[in-house]
Amino acid sequence: MWGSLFLKQNKKAPARSSTKYRALAVKSEDGTINRMEDLLNLDVTPYTDKIIAEYIWIGGTGIDVRSKSRTISKPVEHPSELPKWNYDGSSTGQAPGDDSEVILYPQAIFKDPFRGGNNILVICDTYTPQGEPIPTNKRHKAAQIFSDAKVLGEVPWFGIEQEYTLMQQDVNWPLGWPVGGYPGPQGPYYCAAGADKSFGRDISDAHYKACLYAGINISGTNGEVMPGQWEFQVGPSVGIEAGDHIWCARYLLERITEQAGVVLTLDPKPIDGDWNGAGCHTNYSTKSMREEGGFEVIKKAILNLSLRHKEHISAYGEGNERRLTGKHETASIDSFSWGVADRGCSIRVGRDTEKEGKGYLEDRRPASNMDPYVVTGLLAETTLLWEPTLEAEALAAQKLSLNV
Ligand code: ADP
Ligand code: MN
Ligand code: MN
Ligand code: MN
């Protein structure tokens, strides 16, 4: 059996040195030899064409990421080459026990930085066996919006700033904070270096490289104002890709923090009081905003956004009312505001955009636990597909001092 299997595969396996094995054998305290690392790092490509695909989907809370693995007969380049799959939706709060099957449709693939080789991560969305998107499948509607001819023609770009907080395992208290106590007040931590100011840089950096390897359009990282809090940015990415990339980046972060024994939280206000919350600022532009005269188009978009403030807030993440207090670089959840270079506004327009008369806007309202499919889809819908009545528009223009 083994012999014939070996003969069928004409790939040459590189000779492995046994000295290397001896050198790596580590005896643990109970005398067993741990060669787990060898197996985890084993490159199987010389031995088989088969690859491992990690199918990833969003679970029943709308924020939990789940995944399971399967063997695919050969390397693939496009999600359409992959089979649909299924899982037990009754175990993720997404289906009743007596009709538990949820179907996974592969939508985007990334290189797997954990397994290496030709192995892949597969972002999926979720359907009933009859082919209906299940309620937590927010990608489906977003994909519809982004395939609308009007939206396609405007090539919407998104730059998403994902903030997150690292927590010590078991105690539910931020990384670097004394258990049962508090660090010194905010001020020295933002973008800082030093053992007393920066907590979890190895995680942020490992994640950065893992994202680049995977093919995620990550554009940067920074340490945040609250100690133990970090940010990474993805974008500019076009349309539905922004959501796929953020979800894959979140999955990688879950896996890396798992390895580090640190707990990731996307809670928008992990610690009450005088500590910054965690957001997911969404920078947005359309083709017309990026072209000559774009600032006027941005102002019109802001006007539309002001008239749908409530709809946006209700779609921008759970618990966001604890974060959008009007303090800590946020605007109040109850009122809509905009301004140039003002971090206390709902929508900020950068100095450069004002100066050049074109560019992009920053929606500062989304919480760290928002669903990027929902937020990007809604931004495109409100600014490109939805139109207010003329009266509503005139009133809002007056209120916001926007002459459009
Ligand atoms: P902040 O100054 O708010 O901290 P960041 O530098 O963290 O901003 O993030 C800005 C994000 O906006 C980046 O992901 C960047 O790629 C993205 N971005 C830049 N230009 C555009 C644009 N024209 N449209 C949409 N997003 C953009
Ligand atoms: Mn930022
Ligand atoms: Mn930030
Ligand atoms: Mn920002």
Side-chain angles (χ1 to χ4, degrees):
M1 163 70 194
W2 282 107
S4 63
L5 191 70
F6 202 68
L7 280 177
K8 257 192 240 153
Q9 293 169 340
N10 49 13
K11 291 192 169 186
K12 270 262 158 59
R16 301 198 69 145
S17 121
S18 56
T19 38
K20 186 179 162 212
Y21 265 82
R22 267 202 298 277
L24 279 177
V26 179
K27 265 208 169 146
S28 70
E29 274 167 23
D30 63 6
T32 56
I33 291 172
N34 187 349
R35 285 181 177 144
M36 192 80 95
E37 284 288 312
D38 286 354
L39 291 173
L40 287 171
N41 291 328
L42 196 60
D43 178 12
V44 299
T45 40
Y47 305 90
T48 177
D49 279 340
K50 291 177 182 171
I51 63 157
I52 307 172
E54 190 75 22
Y55 277 49
I56 300 164
W57 70 92
I58 298 151
T61 66
I63 185 74
D64 54 318
V65 272
R66 310 278 179 134
S67 75
K68 58 176 185 165
S69 331
R70 69 180 291 171
T71 305
I72 302 292
S73 58
K74 61 176 182 20
V76 296
E77 306 221 309
H78 194 267
S80 62
E81 298 169 66
L82 291 165
K84 288 177 184 156
W85 203 12
N86 63 71
Y87 66 94
D88 167 17
S90 72
S91 298
T92 58
Q94 290 171 300
D98 57 2
D99 187 13
S100 65
E101 216 157 273
V102 176
I103 315 298
L104 292 167
Y105 290 22
Q107 299 289 6
I109 58 178
F110 297 89
K111 284 169 68 65
D112 183 341
F114 303 106
R115 294 190 174 115
N118 293 319
N119 302 304
I120 53 172
L121 305 173
V122 185
I123 296 291
C124 302
D125 65 351
T126 43
Y127 295 82
T128 66
Q130 291 73 40
E132 289 293 318
I134 65 169
T136 47
N137 179 353
K138 307 297 183 194
R139 191 186 188 281
H140 183 78
K141 188 181 174 200
Q144 275 178 341
I145 293 170
F146 289 120
S147 59
D148 184 292
K150 208 166 165 196
V151 178
L152 274 175
E154 279 289 346
V155 199
W157 289 7
F158 298 95
I160 299 178
E161 303 169 52
Q162 175 71 66
E163 292 179 343
Y164 60 93
T165 312
L166 299 173
M167 308 291 267
Q168 302 172 53
Q169 210 169 2
D170 303 326
V171 293
N172 198 34
W173 201 237
L175 197 66
W177 291 34
V179 177
Y182 290 84
Q186 293 182 162
Y189 310 109
Y190 170 72
C191 296
D196 56 342
K197 297 182 238 36
S198 177
F199 311 108
R201 186 191 303 279
D202 50 350
I203 290 171
S204 168
D205 241 34
H207 177 254
Y208 200 164
K209 287 195 175 171
C211 283
L212 283 175
Y213 178 96
I216 289 167
N217 186 20
I218 186 166
S219 38
T221 67
N222 63 265
E224 269 303 338
V225 175
M226 188 186 106
Q229 202 168 82
W230 292 83
E231 169 180 315
F232 64 87
Q233 300 100 29
V234 168
S237 299
V238 181
I240 198 73
E241 199 181 281
D244 290 339
H245 283 222
I246 282 286
W247 275 114
C248 190
R250 284 179 178 176
Y251 175 78
L252 293 179
L253 194 52
E254 286 281 15
R255 290 281 305 271
I256 289 163
T257 50
E258 170 191 324
Q259 286 184 12
V262 167
V263 176
L264 168 69
T265 177
L266 294 184
D267 189 286
K269 188 80 176 184
I271 306 293
D272 280 343
D274 224 356
W275 304 98
N276 273 31
C280 213
H281 299 167
T282 303
N283 301 273
Y284 170 58
S285 65
T286 60
K287 193 160 163 280
S288 324
M289 294 178 188
R290 295 186 293 269
E291 286 172 357
E292 227 43 58
F295 197 16
E296 293 310 306
V297 183
I298 291 173
K299 284 180 183 165
K300 166 65 173 139
I302 291 172
L303 207 153
N304 279 18
L305 288 168
S306 78
L307 289 165
R308 296 186 96 195
H309 181 61
K310 277 216 171 75
E311 286 97 320
H312 280 253
I313 286 295
S314 66
Y316 277 10
E318 289 290 319
N320 208 10
E321 69 286 348
R322 290 182 279 121
R323 164 178 167 262
L324 294 181
T325 56
K327 285 195 245 163
H328 306 111
E329 303 175 49
T330 71
S332 155
I333 195 164
D334 300 316
S335 61
F336 179 92
S337 56
W338 80 282
V340 174
D342 188 345
R343 287 189 155 71
C345 283
S346 317
I347 304 284
R348 175 172 70 114
V349 174
R351 267 287 168 240
D352 282 352
T353 296
E354 184 192 45
K355 210 172 85 197
E356 290 171 26
K358 61 184 178 185
Y360 63 100
L361 62 85
E362 177 190 38
D363 191 342
R364 300 177 59 81
R365 296 169 296 172
S368 47
N369 59 359
M370 61 84 143
D371 185 328
Y373 294 135
V374 175
V375 171
T376 58
L378 198 51
L379 278 169
E381 186 185 89
T382 296
T383 60
L384 294 172
L385 302 175
W386 181 81
E387 270 306 326
T389 63
L390 286 176
E391 297 98 294
E393 188 173 81
L395 260 172
Q398 207 174 30
K399 207 168 116 195
L400 296 168
S401 321
L402 275 168
N403 314 307
V404 291

